[in-house]
Amino acid sequence: MDGKERLRRLAALDRKHLWHPFTPMDEWEREDPPLIAERGEGAWLIDVEGRRYLDGVSSLWVNLHGHRREEIDRAVREQLGRIAHSTQLGMGHPAPIELAARLARLAPRGLTRVFYSDSGATAVEVALKMAFQYQRQRAPARPEKRRFLALNLAYHGDTLGAVSAGGIGLFHRVFAPLLFPVLRAESPHALGCPGGAGCPRCSGEEAAAQILARAGELAAVIVEPMVQGAAGMIVQHPGFLQKIREACTEGDVLLIADEVATGFGRTGRMFACEHAGVAPDILCLAKGITGGYLPLAATLATEAIFDAFRGAPAEGRTFFHGHSYTGNPLGCAAALANLDIFERDKTLDALQPKIARLWRELEGLRGLPQVAEVRGLGFMAGIELVKDKTAKTPFDPALRMGRRVILAARKRGLAIRPLGDVVVLMPPYCVTEDEIAWMVGVVRESIGEAAGVS
Ligand SMILES: *Cc1c(COP(=O)(O)O)cnc(C)c1O
């Protein structure tokens, strides 16, 4: 069967049986031809017909060192030669043990305990339940501290606890009757701050005041540190996070940092909290933890939190949470190999000139009439498209501008996915400077093409 026939057959089966995540399925059914990626090579995806696409969003923000990295491939194969899975309930396994020790060493200070799960959303569920139960079991107990504060436009995953903490209307509104109430603070302004240097919203003063005002009832504050990715790459000043940390400490409220997107070098530092010199009480990790190979997540906690769960079984202080594949050894083996690459290749050092190049290239997009703002940090960039740049009027959502841009980019060999009308660029770290320049050039042309037909 040649490539074209295979694509036709697979597309027909897909349309008949699949239900894609976050995808308006009517629109997907009309996509012709759909992109069906079959293989990967470094920063590139190869579809069933052999066409190549630069993986411009790292396969939805997960891939770090590229596809088919020999060291990770080998680590997974070697683990497969031992065992694919054994449970973490009532027994251990070397790979999750070794990984826990590595993560505790790498993470911001004080985060010594590692609780595994399978996705970013579950890492967040674990964090929320842990914080809630901690307040009931600490000495002296503070059961009245049972609420959470999250940022407006937050995204923490799609399970119901994570959706409760989330604040993106389009994703979360329909489930409102199922959710528990969460206090909200405004995230920093995107699309230009009207408040200037002293803006209380952008400085974190406003959020800090809200935390302190309700500290007596707050179990924890949950934030995506430095960059709110799914909100469209809303960037915080380091001071924003510092203010929140100070308020949490003063108010005796736990700080949960959701570094599912920002962790493992994505912002140019190992963890985004490092930009602000802040250590959270609970840290959620997923996406890049296995280098983009396998679903694995970890929630790290301090020893003080862990201690509140000690006691005789009959006291019922145990953390009753777990998943069948918690701490999966294949995932942990991939994660260990991923961390080895960071050390051996000095990935974070090698990334700095590429980050500089990305932002130099992106500078050239700011002048485009459809580009309202280019924002981000490190290897996380968002390009916000608008109909009127001066008035900052958005395009009619029915035009699907962001989507038009990515379809135009796909024709040119760049695979990306937008967030509404924010075009996202988050390439794997192995991308070359020439590829970065080419990628941004393709985005420029694609914006031109999309705007021309609107
Ligand atoms: C992607 C993401 C999640 C959810 O992770 P999944 O693995 O998709 O469940 C949670 N928080 C943040 C900040 C994310 O970007």
Side-chain angles (χ1 to χ4, degrees):
M1 213 187 295
D2 72 1
K4 199 154 246 41
E5 260 177 78
R6 273 191 76 214
L7 175 59
R8 210 172 301 130
R9 177 175 167 275
L10 289 167
L13 288 175
D14 183 302
R15 284 172 187 144
K16 187 151 179 223
H17 294 296
L18 265 160
W19 192 339
H20 288 266
F22 275 98
T23 303
M25 288 303 289
D26 272 335
E27 190 177 74
W28 168 261
E29 282 173 6
R30 291 194 302 273
E31 199 153 312
D32 194 32
L35 171 49
I36 301 181
E38 183 164 48
R39 289 179 294 130
E41 257 177 43
W44 292 80
L45 298 169
I46 301 159
D47 76 5
V48 290
E49 290 186 284
R51 269 192 299 260
R52 295 169 69 85
Y53 306 86
L54 185 75
D55 190 358
V57 289
S58 297
S59 293
L60 244 297
W61 315 3
V62 299
N63 192 282
L64 305 186
H65 310 290
H67 301 280
R68 300 299 318 277
R69 255 313 277 245
E70 179 51 38
E71 298 92 321
I72 308 181
D73 285 10
R74 192 180 334 117
V76 173
R77 271 199 306 272
E78 284 174 7
Q79 180 58 46
L80 209 42
R82 293 185 285 270
I83 193 168
H85 183 70
S86 63
T87 184
Q88 289 293 295
L89 277 67
M91 63 174 83
H93 187 91
I97 294 170
E98 298 285 357
L99 179 61
R102 289 280 286 275
L103 290 174
R105 211 160 63 230
L106 271 179
R109 65 187 172 279
L111 297 162
T112 45
R113 292 285 169 174
V114 177
F115 192 100
Y116 289 111
S117 61
D118 321 318
S119 70
T122 58
V124 168
E125 295 293 331
V126 166
L128 297 173
K129 289 173 73 176
M130 216 177 240
F132 177 85
Q133 193 174 343
Y134 163 76
Q135 300 290 5
R136 309 192 140 231
Q137 295 181 181
R138 64 190 288 196
R142 298 293 304 276
E144 73 284 5
K145 290 171 81 68
R146 48 181 290 272
R147 307 194 69 182
F148 295 93
L149 183 141
L151 294 182
N152 195 19
L153 300 176
Y155 179 76
H156 297 294
D158 297 321
T159 54
L160 284 173
V163 170
S164 294
I168 298 184
L170 176 67
F171 302 165
H172 300 148
R173 200 176 299 121
V174 64
F175 301 111
L178 300 179
L179 308 179
F180 56 80
V182 164
L183 303 175
R184 293 275 161 211
E186 291 283 3
S187 37
H189 289 104
L191 267 193
C193 168
C199 173
R201 194 169 135 186
C202 294
S203 69
E205 267 167 49
E206 193 180 289
Q210 281 172 280
I211 293 165
L212 285 172
R214 307 293 288 269
E217 55 187 300
L218 280 176
V221 170
I222 179 165
V223 291
E224 295 157 81
M226 296 306 293
V227 187
Q228 285 184 256
M233 306 296 152
I234 297 180
V235 184
Q236 302 157 7
H237 294 293
F240 182 87
L241 201 57
Q242 287 158 358
K243 283 267 181 328
I244 288 178
R245 172 70 271 183
E246 285 162 21
C248 285
T249 304
E250 191 182 335
D252 187 19
V253 174
L254 297 177
L255 176 60
I256 302 169
D258 176 355
E259 293 231 25
V260 170
T262 52
F264 299 100
R266 189 46 75 180
T267 65
R269 307 287 294 263
M270 198 53 162
F271 298 108
C273 285
E274 295 171 20
H275 290 278
V278 156
D281 303 289
I282 299 179
L283 176 68
C284 302
L285 302 173
K287 289 199 169 101
I289 191 170
T290 59
Y293 266 61
L294 285 157
L296 180 76
T299 305
L300 276 66
T302 61
E303 214 57 25
I305 293 173
F306 178 78
D307 282 343
F309 291 77
R310 292 182 188 273
E315 290 178 56
R317 299 166 70 86
T318 304
F319 188 46
F320 289 110
H321 186 105
H323 302 277
S324 310
Y325 285 96
T326 287
N328 173 256
L330 286 175
C332 292
L336 285 164
N338 171 39
L339 296 179
D340 285 343
I341 294 173
F342 270 99
E343 276 183 24
R344 202 173 38 246
D345 289 4
K346 302 202 172 11
T347 301
L348 291 176
D349 294 340
L351 194 55
Q352 304 311 318
K354 297 181 186 185
I355 290 172
R357 181 64 183 266
L358 175 65
W359 289 95
R360 269 204 313 281
E361 295 293 336
L362 286 170
E363 204 51 45
L365 299 186
R366 292 190 203 269
L368 295 182
Q370 303 83 8
V371 172
E373 197 165 78
V374 182
R375 53 180 182 254
L377 184 66
F379 251 24
M380 289 181 97
I383 301 146
E384 180 153 0
L385 306 174
V386 287
K387 183 166 155 218
D388 184 323
K389 192 166 173 138
T390 329
K392 306 218 154 62
T393 329
F395 282 107
D396 178 353
L399 279 175
R400 308 280 284 150
M401 260 325 269
R403 180 177 149 78
R404 282 179 195 229
V405 172
I406 69 119
L407 291 177
R410 187 188 298 174
K411 287 194 297 190
R412 293 165 169 84
L414 172 64
I416 48 177
R417 185 176 164 85
L419 291 158
D421 285 347
V422 177
V423 177
V424 174
L425 291 179
M426 263 174 126
Y429 308 163
C430 65
V431 72
T432 65
E433 286 198 40
D434 285 348
E435 287 166 343
I436 290 170
W438 173 82
M439 172 177 75
V440 176
V442 165
V443 169
R444 166 192 284 277
E445 283 176 27
S446 304
I447 291 172
E449 180 179 321
V453 295
S454 72

